[in-house]
Amino acid sequence: MLEQYRTVYQGGEGEIVEKKSRFIATVRLVKTEEEALKFIEEIKKKYWDARHNGYAYVIWGKEKNLCAAVMMENHRGTAGKPMLDVLLGEELYNIAVVVTRYFGGTLLGTGGLVRAYSKAVQEGLKNSILITKNHGVCLLVGTDYNGVGKLQYLFGQENLPILDSRYTESVEFEVLVPKKEEERIKKAVTEATSGKASVTAEKELYYAILDKEVLTFED
């Protein structure tokens, strides 16, 4: 599993105009190649009267990463390839983008098309919500009331999101920890409470922080 990767939380659209030709970029989250191809067909039908619909997608799969740029053959690499280069340059995964072109009557040339398709993708990304997903583990930390302040200080210092707090005869915290930091945090909890806290790994998941809100994902 990837320790961390950037992806789409909410897709968007962006449009640019070059010499009266319109380039409309539509961005979407996709998790499989099947989803990507379905999305591409959807946009083709929506913009059926366009001169061209170029597309690219990047998907993280079991066999490392699967990258594809199609429709390059019609424009000698001026559509799919530069679009894919933008996605790879931004280090984005599980993302598909379609750029729809309405011809304005003036030829842009090879360089002009490459720049236009790239710029359109960048504009589409600007109007999308992108997040960084972190591979983490949810730790259940139990302590007596004497350890509460020490643990809250530790979690604050480490910037660890607290998903839930339960106060009964004892106290339990559900805390999100980067998977690669799991053992170090467990040790820190033990040291902070002089061995009086219990720590149990509940489940692994991906999480992201968006506008100070914690988002969790099962992928």
Side-chain angles (χ1 to χ4, degrees), residues 135-150:
H135 179 207
V137 57
C138 182
L139 297 183
L140 182 63
V141 181
T143 183
D144 58 25
Y145 280 82
N146 293 325
V148 170
K150 297 172 184 177

Side-chain angles (χ1 to χ4, degrees), residues 18-92:
E18 294 287 341
K19 296 182 180 180
K20 297 183 180 180
S21 285
R22 295 174 60 205
F23 294 82
I24 306 165
T26 308
V27 179
R28 181 152 322 162
L29 169 69
V30 293
K31 295 182 179 180
T32 65
E33 190 171 17
E34 183 180 6
E35 285 183 14
L37 296 176
K38 185 177 179 180
F39 161 62
I40 292 162
E41 288 305 312
E42 175 189 324
I43 299 302
K44 282 183 176 181
K45 289 179 181 178
K46 179 179 179 180
Y47 296 110
W48 61 271
D49 59 340
R51 179 70 170 266
H52 179 61
N53 285 290
Y55 55 89
Y57 54 88
V58 182
I59 298 169
W60 179 264
K62 293 180 180 179
E63 298 178 0
K64 206 172 180 181
N65 60 315
L66 168 65
C67 305
V70 199
M71 297 300 286
M72 292 164 54
E73 65 279 3
N74 290 341
H75 286 69
R76 297 180 183 176
T78 57
K81 180 61 166 60
M83 291 169 62
L84 182 63
D85 287 343
V86 173
L87 299 182
L88 294 177
E90 294 289 337
E91 297 182 340
L92 289 162

Side-chain angles (χ1 to χ4, degrees), residues 6-8 10-16 25-28 86-87 90 92 95 97 118-131:
R6 297 182 70 219
T7 189
V8 184
Q10 182 176 311
E13 290 187 0
E15 181 176 337
I16 66 166
T26 308
V27 179
R28 181 152 322 162
V86 173
L87 299 182
E90 294 289 337
L92 289 162
I95 182 173
V97 60
S118 299
K119 190 176 177 182
V121 174
Q122 292 166 351
E123 195 67 21
L125 294 178
K126 284 181 185 177
N127 295 325
S128 302
I129 299 176
L130 306 178
I131 57 174

